[in-house]
Amino acid sequence: MEKPLKDKHSELIHRLYKPLIFYLPRKMWADLDDKWMDKEFDTVFNTVILMRENGDNYILNNGASNFYLLGKASSLDKNIYELLDLKVKLTSEAFRFLSERYSLSVAFYKHASNWMVEHVKDDISNCSEETINSFEIQKEAFAKHWDYIQKHFSVPDHIKNYFDNSQLNTQDVANIPDFITGDKSQTERIFEKLAKPIKNKKKILITEEEAEKLLLKTVFNVQL
């Protein structure tokens, strides 16, 4: 049985952050609410977390990490294969919506991974050389993936330019949960409407203009 389009999108997003090495920058969350400066949150922030491909995650404590991150590029390549298959199977409208939602998530992870490489030494003073190298490996994998996505799939300018600023801001931090899950409640119905096989071209379920307006409204908060 063919999986719903929304489930396929979720699988793509899962492979974006499995595996993943990351930390939550305390200074960014403190800008949202100073309660995060309380001592009880000392172990939450500026602590390197490793998420393995199977979903297991734990505080790294400068443990082995290169081995897991070396598989990052391969995991992202699986998404390329899946997207190429979906491009053939789906209507052009459905694939455009899917690829645009996916490309926004890729842009976010590329942006965040670049930022962490630049700031991890300042935020976490005791990082080992291997841990820092793992952040570098991840950055390179996302950069190459992003370049391929831009070259071979439809990526609108408003997504390409969304993270022009090299610095993360408080809005980026606030949006992290949405990028981790790859889902916003407002987009659930549109996935259902677009989840039709390519043979059903005659029936237009939602126009490209409507899909674009919904994307701008729900993702970029642009009121039309």
Side-chain angles (χ1 to χ4, degrees):
M1 182 177 178
E2 189 73 10
K3 293 181 180 179
L5 185 61
K6 182 174 178 292
D7 291 346
K8 292 176 182 178
H9 176 255
S10 294
E11 289 179 356
L12 294 171
I13 298 302
H14 289 169
R15 282 196 289 266
L16 275 181
Y17 65 83
K18 296 179 183 180
L20 189 75
I21 187 169
F22 68 98
Y23 70 96
L24 299 179
R26 190 169 201 161
K27 57 192 176 188
M28 299 297 296
W29 287 82
D31 284 344
L32 294 174
D33 193 326
D34 59 10
K35 73 176 182 181
W36 301 117
M37 294 302 297
D38 291 349
K39 189 175 180 61
E40 64 178 303
F41 301 111
D42 284 353
T43 58
V44 176
F45 297 103
N46 295 351
T47 300
V48 178
I49 305 295
L50 177 66
M51 179 178 290
R52 294 168 58 179
E53 192 169 357
N54 63 4
D56 291 344
N57 61 87
Y58 51 89
I59 296 175
L60 187 59
N61 283 330
N62 285 328
S65 57
N66 285 183
F67 173 79
Y68 301 106
L69 270 300
L70 286 173
K72 187 70 186 178
S74 176
S75 181
L76 296 176
D77 282 346
K78 291 178 183 177
N79 278 1
I80 296 296
Y81 297 139
E82 181 68 15
L83 285 168
L84 290 172
D85 284 341
L86 291 172
K87 189 174 183 179
V88 176
K89 296 176 182 177
L90 298 175
T91 65
S92 59
E93 185 182 2
F95 182 75
R96 177 180 296 181
F97 180 78
L98 175 68
S99 63
E100 287 184 8
R101 288 288 293 129
Y102 178 74
S103 66
L104 178 61
S105 294
V106 175
F108 172 79
Y109 279 107
K110 174 183 176 293
H111 182 59
S113 64
N114 288 349
W115 189 92
M116 287 188 288
V117 165
E118 294 176 5
H119 292 84
V120 63
K121 291 181 182 179
D122 294 331
D123 292 339
I124 308 174
S125 59
N126 64 341
C127 268
S128 68
E129 183 176 345
E130 177 171 357
T131 298
I132 293 171
N133 189 42
S134 289
F135 278 102
E136 292 279 1
I137 292 171
Q138 177 170 269
K139 172 187 174 181
E140 183 67 18
F142 276 126
K144 289 183 176 179
H145 189 60
W146 173 242
D147 288 344
Y148 189 95
I149 292 295
Q150 288 191 96
K151 184 177 180 180
H152 296 279
F153 301 105
S154 173
V155 181
D157 288 341
H158 60 255
I159 291 180
K160 291 180 181 179
N161 301 331
Y162 189 54
F163 297 114
D164 273 353
N165 189 334
S166 63
Q167 298 302 311
L168 286 178
N169 56 46
T170 54
Q171 187 60 45
D172 296 332
V173 173
N175 285 337
I176 284 176
D178 293 322
F179 285 102
I180 290 294
T181 62
D183 183 27
K184 287 178 179 286
S185 60
Q186 298 98 320
T187 65
E188 289 186 358
R189 284 177 295 179
I190 193 171
F191 272 113
E192 294 172 0
K193 294 181 75 174
L194 290 172
K196 299 296 180 182
I198 200 167
K199 63 181 181 181
N200 291 337
K201 284 184 176 179
K202 293 182 179 180
K203 185 177 180 181
I204 299 177
L205 299 173
I206 184 170
T207 66
E208 293 182 9
E209 182 180 1
E210 289 172 331
E212 180 73 6
K213 286 182 178 180
L214 182 59
L215 187 67
L216 288 171
K217 182 178 179 180
T218 59
V219 177
F220 297 103
N221 294 319
V222 175
Q223 300 298 321
L224 301 171

